[in-house]
Amino acid sequence: MWSTKVKTLSRSPHCAKVSPRRTGPRSAGTICTIHEIDEADVRPFIAKELLEGETLKHLIRGETSTRTSIGKDNANETSRTVVGRVGRDGGYSRDRLGTGTVTTEAGTGALVRTRDKIEISVTAKLAPNLYILQGSPDLDMNHPDAAGGRVAVLFGPDGILMVDSQDEELHEKVLKTIRTFSSAPIRILVNSHIHSDHTGGNPFFAKQGALIFSREELRDEMLHPPRQGNGTPAPAPDPAGVPVMTYPLGTPGAPAVTIHLDGEVVDFIPVPASHTGGDTVIRFQHANAIYIGDFYRNFGYPFADQANGGSIRGMITAIDMIAKTAGPDTTLITGHGTLVKKADLLPYRAMVVDILAKTKKLVDQGKSLDDILAANLTAPYDATTKGDTPASKNRFITEAYNEVKDK
């Protein structure tokens, strides 16, 4: 048997608000919302991250869109037209792992990535019934360490609980790999955050029987996005992929939902705005593991999706929360890069604090964003930061600038 406990302000073991449509604000004391999906409740959603080399002003999505790529040297800007849809993690949606074409000043060529070459493999076994799945390396230009986002799978006689659902193009490969070690039904899927390399497979797994959980903010972002850059509505999502069980931030560090499944106790713990405004970490108590998502990364520089409510300062808060939640031997499951322990987060935290302070000092001196980018503030960290591309550095510094310029 499996059970779900949702904490409420009144300490009731259950909460219930069934809403075929949004009819108004959540009632006081309701910590979880159960949503029924109908066509009237589904609104378009939009990509909110960046293509490699882009700055925050290029947060648009379209079937065909013209972008400006900002390199290390602003004098070397180049324009390019992207054919295909841009996904929430900054890559392509339907063509993201397929055969989309990029036109640049250098000419036209097929994308080197191809979904046919990507394999989904079990890359770690954190407990007899808790496995980690990842895509092949070197085939996803946004995530060369491993294609798409990392997936955690808890399995056993009560069914399967998944953390995140990978890119849209890879969902069948994810299921095929799961079926190599479990034939149990997929019962629960929780999204760590909104980006498409973590939510792209939602519709597919919902149709396999999964009940999708997420932060309220994540669901609202899917249903109420801004319009595209040209003012037209964004494409509508598949209704099946929209989370139906939601929970708010609540008390930072406290579980909003607890799942008892397959002999494990799984806590969904909301995180204050960090990578996005709707992040959740997922703790597996018996396995002594926590899926922390993307607010920490050891491949490339920090990325706070500020258009989706993310915050560089919030990453410091999130790291401090994990320091209290995790033990010294707790395995921290990142969305990208390698698995880490909480001690590994300390240098990352120190770097974020340092960059914010240096950026603030330059802003106080009247320096422009271009001046600050030219200052190469990340230089002390480049040698120890894998994937330290000019785009990753510039994005990080731009986000730091955005947070300190008016404060």
Side-chain angles (χ1 to χ4, degrees):
M1 296 293 293
W2 67 279
S3 62
T4 306
K5 181 174 72 174
V6 182
K7 295 188 177 180
T8 71
L9 294 178
S10 61
R11 303 295 182 185
S12 170
H14 302 286
C15 71
K17 177 184 174 187
V18 181
S19 55
R21 298 189 62 179
R22 291 171 56 92
T23 57
R26 190 168 36 86
S27 60
T30 302
I31 294 300
C32 172
T33 304
I34 303 171
H35 304 271
E36 291 180 354
I37 301 298
D38 65 11
E39 291 299 327
D41 195 32
V42 176
R43 296 172 175 83
F45 66 95
I46 190 169
K48 284 292 190 65
E49 285 198 37
L50 311 174
L51 285 174
E52 284 294 325
E54 290 184 339
T55 61
L56 293 174
K57 66 182 179 181
H58 300 105
L59 297 170
I60 62 174
R61 172 179 179 169
E63 295 299 321
T64 302
S65 57
T66 301
R67 312 294 190 91
T68 300
S69 177
I70 309 298
K72 185 173 182 180
D73 181 355
N74 286 342
N76 293 328
E77 295 182 4
T78 59
S79 297
R80 62 182 177 178
T81 299
V82 178
V83 180
R85 296 181 295 147
V86 179
R88 289 182 182 273
D89 66 332
Y92 297 94
S93 182
R94 192 165 301 278
D95 286 342
R96 182 174 184 275
L97 302 173
T99 58
T101 300
V102 175
T103 303
T104 69
E105 291 178 346
T108 302
L111 291 174
V112 296
R113 295 173 295 165
T114 170
R115 61 175 173 263
D116 294 334
K117 293 182 179 179
I118 294 174
E119 297 180 356
I120 301 295
S121 304
V122 175
T123 56
K125 298 180 180 180
L126 303 184
N129 65 338
L130 179 60
Y131 288 5
I132 303 301
L133 278 56
Q134 283 184 279
S136 304
D138 302 322
L139 293 173
D140 178 350
M141 73 178 182
N142 290 295
H143 306 113
D145 55 311
R150 190 177 261 117
V151 175
V153 180
L154 176 73
F155 61 96
D158 298 333
I160 288 172
L161 179 150
M162 296 175 60
V163 179
D164 289 343
S165 60
Q166 255 288 0
D167 276 305
E168 177 186 0
E169 298 85 358
L170 299 176
H171 55 243
E172 291 184 356
K173 293 187 177 185
V174 172
L175 181 60
K176 181 178 179 181
T177 300
I178 290 173
R179 291 302 177 224
T180 65
F181 56 81
S182 177
S183 61
I186 298 174
R187 296 193 180 278
I188 297 172
L189 166 61
V190 57
N191 291 146
S192 67
H193 64 283
I194 197 170
H195 295 151
S196 65
D197 54 331
H198 296 264
T199 62
N202 277 17
F204 176 80
F205 287 105
K207 293 168 186 176
Q208 303 300 311
L211 188 66
I212 305 178
F213 287 71
S214 80
R215 287 276 296 280
E216 291 176 348
E217 293 84 351
L218 188 155
R219 183 176 192 272
D220 286 345
E221 178 60 30
M222 283 190 177
L223 297 176
H224 306 98
R227 290 176 174 265
Q228 298 185 87
N230 59 8
T232 60
D238 186 330
V242 179
V244 296
M245 294 287 290
T246 63
Y247 45 88
L249 174 61
T251 302
V257 178
T258 296
I259 305 289
H260 299 266
L261 185 77
D262 298 322
E264 181 60 273
V265 180
V266 187
D267 295 318
F268 301 167
I269 306 175
V271 181
S274 50
H275 181 55
T276 72
D279 292 358
T280 296
V281 301
I282 298 89
R283 177 173 62 190
F284 299 89
Q285 292 188 21
H286 299 327
N288 194 21
I290 304 176
Y291 189 109
I292 64 172
D294 288 6
F295 69 78
Y296 166 88
R297 59 177 63 202
N298 54 17
F299 193 94
Y301 281 99
F303 175 30
D305 183 357
Q306 292 165 329
N308 264 337
S311 167
I312 294 291
R313 288 190 177 97
M315 290 181 171
I316 299 171
T317 303
I319 291 170
D320 292 344
M321 190 191 86
I322 291 297
K324 297 176 181 178
T325 306
D329 297 322
T330 301
T331 299
L332 303 181
I333 308 162
T334 60
H336 308 278
T338 62
L339 307 182
V340 297
K341 306 294 185 182
K342 73 175 184 179
D344 298 315
L345 274 57
L346 297 180
Y348 185 85
R349 184 189 190 282
M351 176 188 66
V352 173
V353 170
D354 180 48
I355 294 298
L356 278 172
K358 289 178 177 177
T359 303
K360 181 66 164 63
K361 182 177 180 180
L362 292 175
V363 168
D364 290 345
Q365 294 172 1
K367 302 297 185 182
S368 68
L369 175 57
D370 286 343
D371 294 332
I372 296 171
L373 290 171
N376 197 20
L377 298 181
T378 62
Y381 307 103
D382 290 349
T384 56
T385 302
K386 294 180 180 179
D388 62 326
T389 64
S392 177
K393 298 176 190 180
N394 289 351
R395 181 174 65 184
F396 176 35
I397 299 301
T398 299
E399 292 161 358
Y401 171 83
N402 289 339
E403 292 198 19
V404 304
K405 65 180 179 180
D406 297 323
K407 296 180 181 179

